[in-house]
Amino acid sequence: MTKLTLSALKKELKQFEQKELILLIAELYKLNDDVKHYVSNRFIGEEAILALYETTKKKINNEFFPERGFGKMRLKEAKSAISNFKKLSGDHEKTVDLMLYYVELGTQFTNTYGDIDGPFYDSMISMYGKVTEACNQDEALFNKFNDRLYAVVEETVGIGWGYHDCLFDCYYSIEWTMEA
């Protein structure tokens, strides 16, 4: 299948009249949920971003603690939801919040059901590392999430696979922790 390049697309769109562009965007809107979220975020703003945030949070929670049954713990699905939120909203703070929420739920899952496996903890450590990197670059972000960041470290005491040690090291690598 031959794909249209971005420059060729722009050239084609310049030839459209306004009514044709409106029709094309409306058709795209109907076709794809990602486009719906993106367009909604663009025109409605914070209200749409908040709705997408809540939906994403529910998807992440559902992988660990669904309303019925046991969590499937499909980490790829949860991480994909976070990535999708970031792409559609462009909201850095809420993205970092969702990343931390992912680690909080993973830790809660372990404390509820027992030890998991190395790849699970590697995923949690990697995500926590991204959160601490973001907080290290932005003191306001650190101040907003500090209590939750520290609480996760505390919740991991006694969990195997070096999980606690890695989170502890990540937390104390944030320069602002020396001042807190």
Side-chain angles (χ1 to χ4, degrees), residues 108-168:
Q108 182 183 350
F109 191 89
T110 296
N111 285 331
T112 301
Y113 297 109
D115 201 20
I116 314 294
D117 60 11
F120 172 85
Y121 295 116
D122 289 345
S123 180
M124 295 298 133
I125 291 165
S126 173
M127 190 69 78
Y128 190 83
K130 290 175 185 173
V131 172
T132 57
E133 284 174 29
C135 289
N136 202 28
Q137 294 171 4
D138 183 344
E139 187 175 8
L141 205 58
F142 169 75
N143 290 332
K144 179 171 178 120
F145 295 121
N146 183 31
D147 291 344
R148 289 173 58 198
L149 285 165
Y150 186 76
V152 170
V153 173
E154 289 295 301
E155 290 293 316
T156 62
V157 172
I159 296 176
W161 299 90
Y163 185 48
H164 171 74
D165 295 336
C166 288
L167 267 60
F168 181 91

Side-chain angles (χ1 to χ4, degrees), residues 46 49 85-86 88-96:
E46 188 61 34
I49 291 172
F85 174 82
K86 179 181 180 179
L88 294 174
S89 73
D91 189 315
H92 180 65
E93 185 178 304
K94 283 184 178 58
T95 300
V96 172

Side-chain angles (χ1 to χ4, degrees), residues 3 5 11 13 26 39-40 42 54 62 74 77 90 92 97 125 130 142 147 150 168-169:
K3 290 186 179 180
T5 65
K11 184 179 177 183
L13 290 174
V39 171
S40 294
R42 187 73 188 247
E54 292 300 331
N62 194 50
R74 295 175 300 189
E77 295 292 321
H92 180 65
D97 179 83
I125 291 165
K130 290 175 185 173
F142 169 75
D147 291 344
Y150 186 76
F168 181 91
D169 290 345

